[in-house]
Amino acid sequence: MPKNSKVTQREHSGEHVTESVADLLALEEPVDYKQSVLNVAGEAGSKQKAVEEELDAEDRPAWNSKLQYILAQIGFSVGLGNIWRFPYLCQKNGGGAYLVPYLVLLIIIGIPLFFLELAVGQRIRRGSIGVWHYVCPRLGGIGFSSCIVCLFVGLYYNVIIGWSIFYFFKSFQYPLPWSECPVIRNGTLAVVEPECEKSSATTYFWYREALDISDSISESGGLNWKMTLCLLVAWSIVGMAVVKGIQSSGKVMYFSSLFPYVVLACFLVRGLLLRGAVDGILHMFTPKLDKMLDPQVWREAATQVFFALGLGFGGVIAFSSYNKQDNNCHFDAALVSFINFFTSVLATLVVFAVLGFKANIMNEKCVVENAEKILGYLNTNVLSRDLIPPHVNFSHLTTKDYMEMYNVIMTVKEDQFPALGLDPCLLEDELDKSVQGTGLAFIAFTEAMTHFPASPFWSVMFFLMLINLGLGSMIGTMAGITTPIIDTFKVPKEMFTVGCCVFAFFVGLLFVQRSGNYFVTMFDDYSATLPLTVIVILENIAVAWIYGTKKFMQELTEMLGFRPYRFYFYMWKFVSPLCMAVLTTASIIQLGVTPPGYSAWIKEEAAERYLYFPNWAMALLITLIVVATLPIPVVFILRHFHLLSDGSNTLSVSYKKGRMMKDISNLEENDETRFILSKVPSEAPSPMPTHRSYLGPGSTSPLENSGNPNGRYGSGYLLASTPESEL
């Protein structure tokens, strides 16, 4: 090594020294390569391999165990949507009939793309930005878009955790505060709160006590201090869980991923013992076959698959990047997907069992109220007692007896019947009342729990489960933001993570205004769905059509030790992109045909009313979608016209304490060759195959000197290029 080389000068120092490959080659002198500190020869055998593994371990953290990793992926993919969105979609879209399109799309889109994200993350060992830069530099904007979508989702998702924290602390009292309507006292006069009397105790508590909601998105109403405090607690919990990366979040996952299953099992056993639970479960599994042909059902099923598995967020890639390269990610993809689907079905069974119990109670209440109306009509001679079947006993009136009376009165008093105001009190009508999203958890389910014995205990368990489900998903969402940024820009992990949490808390104040729930709807239903679909399509195209499916399958074979099923080849290459293109088109058409809107709670009416977003809110919504997708075309244009380096002509070598490490720096501008530091193929930092190498002066081709095709050579140091993008 020349005397004026930085490496020679600081070979034994503890400082990082960086020199470009061009400088190293210019200063190269004949030396004894077997004794060189740059030697990466196979002659050292196991010692060399140990050094390489040590350097690799220093470069990137790793999971403590396979169980910890699996729990992290489960915690990220199994979230609040499994508890309330999936059951709602089942209820809305034909019960058991909805499971058919969901399973089909899970098999042809969900599992293949989940496997793809696991594989590229594990192979390249970088976050989403680094992964897609390696696969196709011109589509490197995919990683930045994933980070932005994660930010949008994290902003409102933690607000939902804040709501759960509020209900959790309110559950430590008996009776539960949402079990009865509040009474307003004015001297000796006591009246029930009108808004509560017109709706229900749980509905009133949710909209007025918890959210203190305004009548529309245009009325901000100021901050809700209770929810602001809960949001601060939520971000503090998330910050403490992720501040140390997987070293801290991995330990949290043991509890946050397993505890919800304990609670779900307890609720299932308790729910099956409730009167009417079987009615709810039978209602769920009774398929409405006409729904299976509805395109809207298939579109909603595909969207649920994306959100359920966390596709496109970058969290899956981030978690898998901390794996060893010989990990069987094919098995992981199938296992996590199955557990995710199993959890959704389990949660749906619990929800429908509890809702069946609630429906029976509400149906009995309906019978009692309408029976009192009939008695009133009998006492005022509006109805003749001859219309009442002789066996009917008003003191012990059954649903069957009421239906018999109802049918007789409707037949005899056909003309005057509408004026009587009698309800049919059908159990199916109660079961068909679909409550979407947060309403299912914070209204319908909470109302059912008020009828449980020891209701505070069940309420505490339920909302503690929601907090843990949300925390697991938030850890993955934060990993989708922090991992790629830290990998790419080398920012301090702890400082950046804390900064993200503080920033997100202050931006999240938008969601804890009195109108905040309407912004949650905007972000949840619209701002993330379309960008996520675009991201997942481009991920598929980048691997299958630009990088090459055959090449990718070959590298998976080398990494896994076996060849994945041919099924994945056809899914990645043809079926999945086609299905997602149809989904994207349908989503755009849906937005055009049905203008975006939200369900507003009108205080005077004590009822929900569907309102369209005003012009300024539509402008905000469009801006969010554009911001989330903008990095993709921007990076493409900049790299296509060479305004931004794609990394194909960049590399330098860094040294520390006499050992060689890899780093990236600029070479000559006109150098069209990309070099990376060669390692054992199974531990290479990217899936790019070796094209050519540089050896020391006087060395011959490694292919001539060694029969080992994997490139472990006896002398010199090896720098191999990565292939140019096929774009």
Side-chain angles (χ1 to χ4, degrees):
M1 186 68 65
K3 292 181 180 180
N4 57 345
S5 168
K6 298 178 195 175
V7 180
T8 304
Q9 295 169 6
R10 303 183 188 178
E11 183 178 2
H12 300 291
S13 70
E15 301 179 25
H16 283 87
V17 182
T18 302
E19 284 195 295
S20 71
V21 173
D23 291 338
L24 285 174
L25 298 185
L27 297 172
E28 183 66 32
E29 293 180 1
V31 295
D32 183 358
Y33 292 98
K34 293 185 179 181
Q35 302 301 320
S36 170
V37 293
L38 297 181
N39 179 40
V40 291
E43 191 172 296
S46 60
K47 181 179 179 181
Q48 175 65 26
K49 183 177 180 181
V51 171
E52 290 177 349
E53 291 176 350
E54 180 184 351
L55 288 172
D56 191 65
E58 290 177 357
D59 287 342
R60 192 165 196 79
W63 297 104
N64 291 336
S65 66
K66 179 66 175 281
L67 175 61
Q68 189 181 75
Y69 164 68
I70 292 296
L71 290 178
Q73 289 287 12
I74 292 172
F76 176 50
S77 63
V78 176
L80 298 174
N82 297 76
I83 302 300
W84 60 49
R85 183 171 173 80
F86 189 89
Y88 160 72
L89 291 173
C90 275
Q91 186 181 27
K92 173 188 173 186
N93 295 319
Y98 174 74
L99 298 179
V100 175
Y102 184 85
L103 269 175
V104 170
L105 293 172
L106 179 65
I107 292 171
I108 67 175
I109 294 180
I111 295 178
L113 296 182
F114 189 61
F115 178 33
L116 184 147
E117 289 198 358
L118 289 177
V120 295
Q122 179 174 309
R123 180 65 166 166
I124 300 173
R125 305 203 73 192
R126 289 293 180 270
S128 57
I129 295 176
V131 160
W132 301 116
H133 170 76
Y134 270 120
V135 172
C136 177
R138 293 184 185 180
L139 289 181
I142 295 174
F144 291 98
S145 289
S146 293
C147 290
I148 295 173
V149 170
C150 278
L151 175 62
F152 289 171
V153 172
L155 287 174
Y156 76 81
Y157 206 88
N158 225 22
V159 174
I160 300 176
I161 297 179
W163 295 342
S164 302
I165 291 172
F166 175 79
Y167 269 79
F168 172 75
F169 285 110
K170 287 289 185 179
S171 299
F172 288 95
Q173 50 188 301
Y174 184 82
L176 291 170
W178 52 82
S179 59
E180 297 177 352
C181 284
V183 175
I184 302 175
R185 298 188 180 277
N186 185 9
T188 58
L189 183 64
V191 295
V192 176
E193 168 64 47
E195 185 180 5
C196 184
E197 189 175 24
K198 293 178 183 177
S199 53
S200 69
T202 51
T203 304
Y204 173 82
F205 187 87
W206 167 240
Y207 283 118
R208 192 55 51 211
E209 295 292 334
L211 301 181
D212 193 17
I213 200 165
S214 61
D215 285 352
S216 72
I217 195 173
S218 299
E219 304 172 26
S220 72
L223 290 177
N224 181 338
W225 70 267
K226 292 178 290 187
M227 289 306 167
T228 302
L229 183 60
C230 290
L231 181 63
L232 178 62
V233 173
W235 275 114
S236 299
I237 294 173
V238 171
M240 289 186 290
V242 301
V243 68
K244 295 292 186 181
I246 63 171
Q247 283 81 7
S248 56
S249 62
K251 296 179 176 63
V252 173
M253 287 297 182
Y254 284 110
F255 181 78
S256 65
S257 297
L258 294 176
F259 178 74
Y261 290 96
V262 176
V263 178
L264 282 176
C266 293
F267 265 99
L268 180 62
V269 173
R270 184 68 187 92
L272 292 175
L273 297 176
L274 295 172
R275 178 171 47 87
V278 176
D279 296 327
I281 294 175
L282 289 177
H283 180 77
M284 168 197 165
F285 283 107
T286 302
K288 299 176 183 176
L289 300 180
D290 58 310
K291 290 285 188 178
M292 291 175 57
L293 304 177
D294 188 349
Q296 176 70 11
V297 174
W298 286 81
R299 188 181 71 85
E300 292 185 345
T303 303
Q304 177 62 16
V305 168
F306 284 176
F307 277 93
L309 293 176
L311 299 176
F313 286 94
V316 173
I317 294 175
F319 282 160
S320 65
S321 71
Y322 298 113
N323 265 332
K324 296 180 180 179
Q325 289 213 342
D326 59 354
N327 175 64
N328 188 352
C329 57
H330 177 266
F331 171 78
D332 299 343
L335 176 65
V336 174
S337 299
F338 169 77
I339 292 176
N340 187 289
F341 177 70
F342 168 77
T343 306
S344 297
V345 174
L346 176 62
T348 304
L349 284 172
V350 171
V351 168
F352 274 84
V354 174
L355 292 183
F357 167 67
K358 173 179 172 288
N360 272 269
I361 290 178
M362 299 306 294
N363 191 58
E364 291 174 359
K365 183 179 178 181
C366 176
V367 168
V368 170
E369 291 176 351
N370 283 270
E372 290 177 353
K373 288 183 182 179
I374 294 175
L375 281 174
Y377 293 143
L378 292 174
N379 293 333
T380 56
N381 296 321
V382 173
L383 293 177
S384 171
R385 293 189 179 273
D386 295 336
L387 298 177
I388 309 302
H391 64 276
V392 171
N393 183 355
F394 278 90
S395 300
H396 300 87
L397 188 64
T398 63
T399 303
K400 183 179 179 181
D401 291 340
Y402 172 77
M403 282 304 303
E404 188 175 350
M405 279 195 308
Y406 179 87
N407 290 329
V408 170
I409 295 171
M410 184 175 62
T411 302
V412 176
K413 298 286 185 177
E414 185 176 357
D415 296 335
Q416 297 83 18
F417 185 78
L420 298 177
L422 298 177
D423 298 316
C425 296
L426 297 175
L427 183 62
E428 290 76 12
D429 291 344
E430 288 293 335
L431 291 170
D432 282 332
K433 289 181 180 178
S434 58
V435 183
Q436 183 176 6
T438 53
L440 182 61
F442 295 103
I443 298 177
F445 213 87
T446 53
E447 183 174 353
M449 286 190 296
T450 59
H451 301 287
F452 284 16
S455 55
F457 167 78
W458 293 104
S459 183
V460 167
M461 294 288 284
F462 177 71
F463 289 109
L464 185 58
M465 177 186 70
L466 293 188
I467 293 170
N468 279 275
L469 284 171
L471 179 60
S473 296
M474 275 302 299
I475 289 173
T477 302
M478 289 297 294
I481 300 172
T482 58
T483 298
I485 298 297
I486 293 170
D487 285 347
T488 304
F489 301 105
K490 310 301 180 186
V491 296
K493 182 194 302 181
E494 289 83 0
M495 186 181 299
F496 178 70
T497 302
V498 172
C500 281
C501 293
V502 173
F503 171 79
F505 167 73
F506 283 106
V507 177
L509 294 178
L510 172 71
F511 303 98
V512 290
Q513 304 175 93
R514 291 182 59 202
S515 59
N517 189 46
Y518 306 138
F519 287 97
V520 171
T521 300
M522 176 191 291
F523 275 68
D524 187 24
D525 291 349
Y526 301 104
S527 68
T529 303
L530 187 58
L532 267 181
T533 309
V534 173
I535 288 170
V536 176
I537 289 177
L538 292 177
E539 287 181 354
N540 199 154
I541 292 174
V543 172
W545 287 92
I546 299 176
Y547 187 73
T549 311
K550 291 182 179 179
K551 185 191 303 182
F552 186 60
M553 289 287 283
Q554 179 59 36
E555 289 167 357
L556 285 182
T557 303
E558 295 173 0
M559 182 174 73
L560 300 175
F562 63 90
R563 187 172 185 83
Y565 296 120
R566 193 74 178 171
F567 163 81
Y568 293 105
F569 178 90
Y570 295 109
M571 293 300 106
W572 290 333
K573 191 79 171 178
F574 305 110
V575 179
S576 295
L578 179 61
C579 291
M580 288 186 293
V582 172
L583 171 64
T584 305
T585 305
S587 299
I588 295 173
I589 293 174
Q590 181 70 19
L591 285 175
V593 173
T594 307
Y598 61 100
S599 294
W601 179 258
I602 310 301
K603 182 176 181 179
E604 292 183 358
E605 301 175 5
E608 290 182 340
R609 184 194 301 170
Y610 189 82
L611 301 177
Y612 294 117
F613 286 118
N615 291 336
W616 66 267
M618 282 297 300
L620 174 61
L621 175 57
I622 294 171
T623 301
L624 292 172
I625 294 174
V626 171
V627 167
T629 54
L630 190 61
I632 297 173
V634 167
V635 172
F636 181 91
I637 292 171
L638 291 177
R639 285 181 172 161
H640 181 75
F641 292 102
H642 307 292
L643 301 174
L644 179 67
S645 172
D646 64 359
S648 63
N649 61 347
T650 62
L651 181 98
S652 69
V653 183
S654 293
Y655 304 87
K656 184 177 180 181
K657 297 181 180 179
R659 296 188 302 184
M660 187 165 65
M661 302 168 63
K662 63 178 185 293
D663 191 18
I664 301 300
S665 175
N666 286 329
L667 275 180
E668 296 297 330
E669 203 170 87
N670 59 356
D671 187 352
E672 295 298 327
T673 307
R674 191 187 325 169
F675 294 93
I676 62 169
L677 181 66
S678 175
K679 299 179 71 176
V680 178
S682 64
E683 298 173 351
S686 88
M688 311 303 184
T690 300
H691 279 224
R692 59 190 179 92
S693 61
Y694 172 78
L695 301 178
S699 298
T700 57
S701 168
L703 296 177
E704 298 172 5
N705 284 349
S706 172
N708 187 343
N710 291 330
R712 301 195 63 176
Y713 311 120
S715 64
Y717 59 89
L718 175 63
L719 296 173
S721 72
T722 55
E724 296 299 325
S725 167
E726 298 178 27
L727 186 63

